[in-house]
Every structure is written in C-alpha cells, then in structure tokens.
Amino acid sequence: MTLHWKLVVDAADPHAQAAFWAETLGYEVEDNAALIERLLGFGALTKEDTVEFRGRLAFRDLIAVRHPDDPVDEERGSGLGRRILFQRVPEAKTVKNRLHIDVHAAPGQRDAETERLVGLGARVLEQVKEQGGQWTLMADPEGNEFCVQ
C-alpha cells in the first residue's frame, strides 16, 4: 500500500513561509479561496479564521505550497502530490531541526542559488566541505535549517 503524505512545518507566519518556499522551490501557493467561501457560507468558519493573502481569502493559520506539475483537487484548491503545509504555532523555534530540506542547485550553481535565496530572506549559516561533498547550510526566514547542494 502506498500512502499519500505532505511535509508539515510549524511557523510563526505561515503565509510568509509559504511565499518564501514557493519562490525557493518553484512551487505554487495553494489557493483555497473557493473552499473557504463555502465553509464561511456553511458557518463552519468565521471571518476571523481567514486572512487576505495575495488578494484572495486564505486560512489564517495554515497554507500550503505544491509542485506545479502535480494534480489539484479543484474544489478544495489543494494539491494531490508533493506539498509542504505551513501551520501557525504559538511557540518559537528553539533547537536544530530534526528534519530538513535539501535544495539541489544545477551543477556549478550552488553559489548563485545561495545568493538568490539570501535575496529572498534566507541566511547562510555555514559552508560545509566534507569527504561526502560540499553544501551550504542555510536558515529560512524563521530560522529553519536547510541545505543547498
């Protein structure tokens, strides 16, 4: 049996994180506005449960990004393949991630990709060179570690 999955990332500002990672990976931010409108109409959500994001209604406390080539549930606006969901949590990140994303740059483009990501709000933590290879350890705008290989 094959299971569907998504990576879930805790965030102080899920919408900013979604925007950063969508731009980083070339993913699309999911548009759940039609679902939200239906839920508001049923009384299952209140306006306080929503925010405006890029001119559309979005859930206040969560938003996802998806791979642009994967199928989408048109009624929900949710991807049916590779996704990362960002959910608001009250506590700040305090320790090193136990799970992280590796971003693979084109051959010879690691430095250029690192600079592009710095321009999006990431920061370089360390340049690593070990027997197994070289990579740049970075932090996203909320401090979550990831690597550029």
Side-chain angles (χ1 to χ4, degrees):
M1 173 175 70
T2 301
L3 299 176
H4 291 282
W5 61 273
K6 66 181 167 282
L7 178 63
V8 179
V9 178
D10 292 347
D13 185 344
H15 301 89
Q17 286 292 88
F20 171 83
W21 282 103
E23 186 69 26
T24 295
L25 299 173
Y27 275 35
E28 295 180 7
V29 176
E30 292 183 350
D31 181 356
N32 305 118
L35 172 62
I36 291 168
E37 290 286 355
R38 282 196 308 276
L39 293 172
L40 286 168
F42 296 147
L45 281 181
T46 67
K47 276 293 203 185
E48 291 76 33
D49 296 320
T50 69
V51 294
E52 186 176 308
F53 180 71
R54 297 183 174 172
R56 308 275 293 164
L57 279 179
F59 292 106
R60 183 178 74 84
D61 293 327
L62 56 92
I63 192 164
V65 298
R66 65 175 181 79
H67 191 284
D69 296 338
D70 290 346
V72 177
D73 178 333
E74 297 298 335
E75 288 186 29
R76 299 175 54 96
S78 299
L80 300 172
R82 295 162 279 187
R83 302 173 68 219
I84 305 173
L85 174 75
F86 300 92
Q87 66 181 4
R88 186 181 314 279
V89 295
E91 66 277 357
K93 179 183 175 308
T94 57
V95 297
K96 181 182 181 296
N97 299 2
R98 293 292 302 242
L99 175 74
H100 70 265
I101 295 173
D102 279 356
V103 176
H104 294 264
Q109 296 300 308
R110 186 178 65 244
D111 291 343
E113 186 63 22
T114 296
E115 287 306 312
R116 183 181 78 84
L117 298 175
V118 167
L120 294 174
R123 60 189 163 87
V124 174
L125 299 177
E126 180 181 356
Q127 296 291 340
V128 180
K129 185 174 184 176
E130 295 182 354
Q131 287 182 344
Q134 291 182 220
W135 60 92
T136 304
L137 176 61
M138 300 188 76
D140 73 12
E142 289 199 7
N144 299 303
E145 297 90 359
F146 68 100
C147 296
V148 178
Q149 303 218 348

